[in-house]
Amino acid sequence: MALQLPSPFLAKMKSLLGENYDNFMKSYEQAPNAGIRVNTLKISREEFMKLSPFDLVPIPWCSTGYYTQAGERPGRHPYYHAGLYYIQEPSAMAPVELLGVTPGDLVLDLCAAPGGKSTQIAAKLSGQGVLVSNDLHPDRTKALAKNLEMYGVRNAVVLNEDPERIAGAFPGFFSKILIDAPCSGEGMFRKDESMLKYWEASSPLKFAEMQRDILKSAAAMLRPGGRLVYSTCTFSPEENEGMIAEFLNEHPDFCVVPVDHSEFYSPGETAWMSGQEKVKDDVLKQLSGTARLWPHKVRGEGHFMAVLQREGELNMREAEREQAPLFNPGGLVNESIAISSRTEQSRERKGKTALREERSGKPGKYGKGATRQQASGRSVTDSQSGSIHLLQAFIREQLDMELTGYPVIYGNHVYVSPLPEERLKQLKVIRPGWYMGQLKNERFVPGHPLATALRSDKSVRYVSLSSEDGEAVRYLKGETLSIPEERVICRSGAEAKGYVLVCIDGYSAGWGKWQAGILKNEYPAGWRWTSI
């Protein structure tokens, strides 16, 4: 066996698994499985299967997930850059499936980076409701924001906060919460051998302390009748069943929703827990309703999941009042408009910094205290009013759509947020919502995330590039393309000249500007195709 697994880990697994230990060890002789998950915000499963260049096998616990074969490289296909699928380890798709997200839910993904589970949640929301995606590590939020934008997510807020601070801003707010908790990562040793470098026999206890605090904060944010899924990618009972037992002892208003055990979901390890002190009989019984994915039983890595529900009735009528209104910037004084707390000069400076970050592909920080939204009769500056009206004009002239949300202005940059400002103030916000674009030289310049979340029929003009003859890759590399006028599909009465939604085989990938047979490339430098 190539992997040199730590002897304390092996001894613990032998004690935990008993007669199944040999089969477990044989799983390390097999190659890890790879998978993709279809992004139904942009394409249906049926449409994707018609287009797919890969040999796909369904993943049994995720209706949109598929195993890919050894040697296939889905990250080097234009469809990946068009956001048609997310590359994800198969077992990692299970927690969101157990969360039971439906359109209109208010969802928190508390440990979200790099964004695989957040994009999965967003697809289930279908553009309705609210998704708050958070990660404590600043560098990881860059990938989180980019993935949400690539996959065309409109109704997400990205935070970089401590869970306790989020709980202060969102008490009893969410109907669904996912905790993909930081853990010792034992279940990923086969997939990522580098994780062995950081493992110690004491690792489970170290991570358990963090997990305990995260669960406590999450409990304070869940509505009565709401659902919480706690998951890890480790085998350690201290971080799994032990953590849930401790949580249930301290939160009697929560219970385990039993997972239907099947050929892939195995029950939680209650034998280990039965020897622990302070575990009540009713709690021990509930732990058998948690679930594990074992690598010697399924085509996937090791995972643990517990579905928890808070007692009470989930009042979705009350939740609906949290939904964002129809975007209507015409009534500026009566709308929730971002009011900068800084001087005009500072705002301009911040706006230029944000623009540089946007062009480089980095998520520009909205930032603590950078703006204040008011629902009162306060006036707005000319530049802010101009930004809103120019966005409105761009939508009216270039797009066929209605926006839902609260306008948020940062410098010269305009977002549409699913949440009012009072929910976000004093928090570290990386993205307050869907990025629309910026006011530049008294004109509105549409942002890349605006394009990636559009369908071709929502743009006045679009052009579809082929994934097979190389022109899509050339666009993704940032090249200027020669496109004859007859290939620019225009709405009746519109001319070909102007902003064009650039699609790959019909699915949006970014902006271009067409004039006289030339498609000027607007694809952001930081997003460009770098594969040879």
Side-chain angles (χ1 to χ4, degrees), residues 144-464:
L144 172 59
K146 181 177 179 179
N147 281 327
L148 287 168
E149 292 173 348
M150 180 184 293
Y151 291 90
V153 179
R154 302 182 180 190
N155 56 330
V157 173
V158 179
L159 302 180
N160 170 217
E161 267 297 357
D162 183 279
E164 187 176 3
R165 285 178 51 81
I166 302 175
F170 292 94
F173 179 85
F174 296 100
S175 56
K176 304 284 170 59
I177 297 178
L178 176 67
I179 303 174
D180 186 36
C183 66
S184 55
E186 296 167 351
M188 305 302 278
F189 287 168
R190 179 175 66 172
K191 180 177 182 292
D192 186 0
E193 189 174 351
S194 66
M195 298 193 74
L196 285 165
K197 300 177 184 178
Y198 307 103
W199 188 90
E200 299 175 355
S202 60
S203 293
L205 295 178
K206 292 178 181 177
F207 280 100
E209 188 64 33
M210 287 187 284
Q211 295 155 359
R212 186 176 296 111
D213 292 340
I214 292 171
L215 269 166
K216 181 179 178 180
S217 295
M221 291 185 272
L222 192 67
R223 291 172 180 266
R227 174 172 288 195
L228 185 157
V229 169
Y230 173 88
S231 70
T232 73
C233 57
T234 193
F235 301 121
S236 165
E238 295 93 333
E239 301 173 70
N240 296 331
E241 293 88 356
M243 189 55 53
I244 299 303
E246 182 178 327
F247 177 80
L248 293 174
N249 283 334
E250 296 177 359
H251 296 82
D253 56 334
F254 280 79
C255 67
V256 171
V257 178
V259 175
D260 290 333
H261 299 135
S262 61
E263 70 276 12
F264 45 89
Y265 285 133
S266 299
E269 292 297 316
T270 56
W272 182 88
M273 288 302 305
S274 62
Q276 306 301 306
E277 297 180 0
K278 299 181 181 180
V279 179
K280 301 175 184 177
D281 290 342
D282 65 318
V283 170
L284 187 63
K285 184 177 180 180
Q286 289 189 64
L287 294 179
S288 64
T290 62
R292 283 179 176 256
L293 290 173
W294 289 103
H296 59 286
K297 293 185 177 182
V298 302
R299 291 182 59 188
E301 306 310 305
H303 255 67
F304 169 83
M305 290 147 287
V307 182
L308 302 169
Q309 187 152 329
R310 191 172 191 175
E311 67 180 21
E313 183 176 351
L314 184 61
N315 189 339
M316 288 312 293
R317 286 188 177 180
E318 180 184 341
E320 286 171 1
R321 290 200 291 269
E322 303 285 355
Q323 307 299 306
L326 186 68
F327 182 87
N328 179 22
L332 285 174
V333 172
N334 296 319
E335 292 295 320
S336 297
I337 299 297
I339 305 297
S340 175
S341 62
R342 303 180 187 275
T343 64
E344 189 72 22
Q345 182 178 7
S346 177
R347 181 169 55 248
E348 291 296 325
R349 184 168 61 251
K350 292 289 186 180
K352 291 177 181 178
T353 300
L355 174 59
R356 287 195 296 271
E357 290 176 335
E358 195 67 44
R359 285 177 171 173
S360 68
K362 299 177 181 178
K365 274 201 174 183
Y366 171 71
K368 176 181 176 182
T371 67
R372 293 289 182 269
Q373 284 186 323
Q374 305 292 337
S376 64
R378 288 180 62 178
S379 61
V380 296
T381 66
D382 290 342
S383 64
Q384 290 169 332
S385 176
S387 296
I388 295 293
H389 283 301
L390 286 172
L391 168 60
Q392 187 181 33
F394 182 88
I395 293 172
R396 183 174 60 249
E397 297 167 6
Q398 303 288 337
L399 305 175
D400 178 19
M401 61 180 294
E402 289 183 333
L403 286 179
T404 299
Y406 301 89
V408 176
I409 301 174
Y410 176 52
N412 289 335
H413 296 263
V414 184
Y415 301 81
V416 174
S417 177
L419 292 171
E421 170 67 12
E422 55 264 24
R423 288 287 186 185
L424 301 177
K425 63 183 180 181
Q426 305 306 317
L427 295 176
K428 297 175 184 175
V429 182
I430 302 301
R431 280 287 192 264
W434 186 15
Y435 180 64
M436 297 285 102
Q438 62 156 328
L439 179 66
K440 184 178 181 182
N441 298 327
E442 299 185 355
R443 61 187 177 89
F444 182 78
V445 179
H448 184 66
L450 174 57
T452 57
L454 295 176
R455 296 202 316 264
S456 60
D457 61 355
K458 296 301 182 183
S459 179
V460 166
R461 61 187 68 82
Y462 75 91
V463 62
S464 186

Side-chain angles (χ1 to χ4, degrees), residues 22-155:
D22 289 341
N23 288 333
F24 170 76
M25 291 305 297
K26 288 179 181 178
S27 70
Y28 286 96
E29 299 172 6
Q30 303 168 4
N33 293 277
I36 62 172
R37 181 175 39 76
V38 178
N39 178 19
T40 54
L41 286 176
K42 303 195 75 166
I43 188 172
S44 70
R45 289 178 298 166
E46 294 76 17
E47 291 171 334
F48 182 76
M49 292 306 289
K50 293 176 183 177
L51 289 176
S52 175
F54 312 118
D55 183 14
L56 301 176
V57 176
I59 294 172
W61 51 84
C62 180
S63 62
T64 55
Y66 297 89
Y67 294 104
T68 53
Q69 306 305 310
E72 290 182 326
R73 305 183 70 178
R76 295 186 61 181
H77 195 282
Y79 289 163
Y80 170 76
H81 297 268
L84 298 193
Y85 52 81
Y86 190 93
I87 301 171
Q88 192 171 22
E89 194 280 312
S91 293
M93 302 178 192
V96 172
E97 296 301 310
L98 296 179
L99 189 58
V101 174
T102 58
D105 267 327
L106 308 174
V107 188
L108 170 64
D109 186 357
L110 198 48
C111 310
K117 295 177 178 65
S118 279
T119 58
Q120 190 175 358
I121 291 168
K124 292 182 178 297
L125 287 173
S126 300
Q128 303 174 50
V130 176
L131 169 61
V132 176
S133 297
N134 176 72
D135 203 272
L136 185 59
H137 302 283
D139 291 341
R140 288 168 58 84
T141 59
K142 297 176 183 178
L144 172 59
K146 181 177 179 179
N147 281 327
L148 287 168
E149 292 173 348
M150 180 184 293
Y151 291 90
V153 179
R154 302 182 180 190
N155 56 330

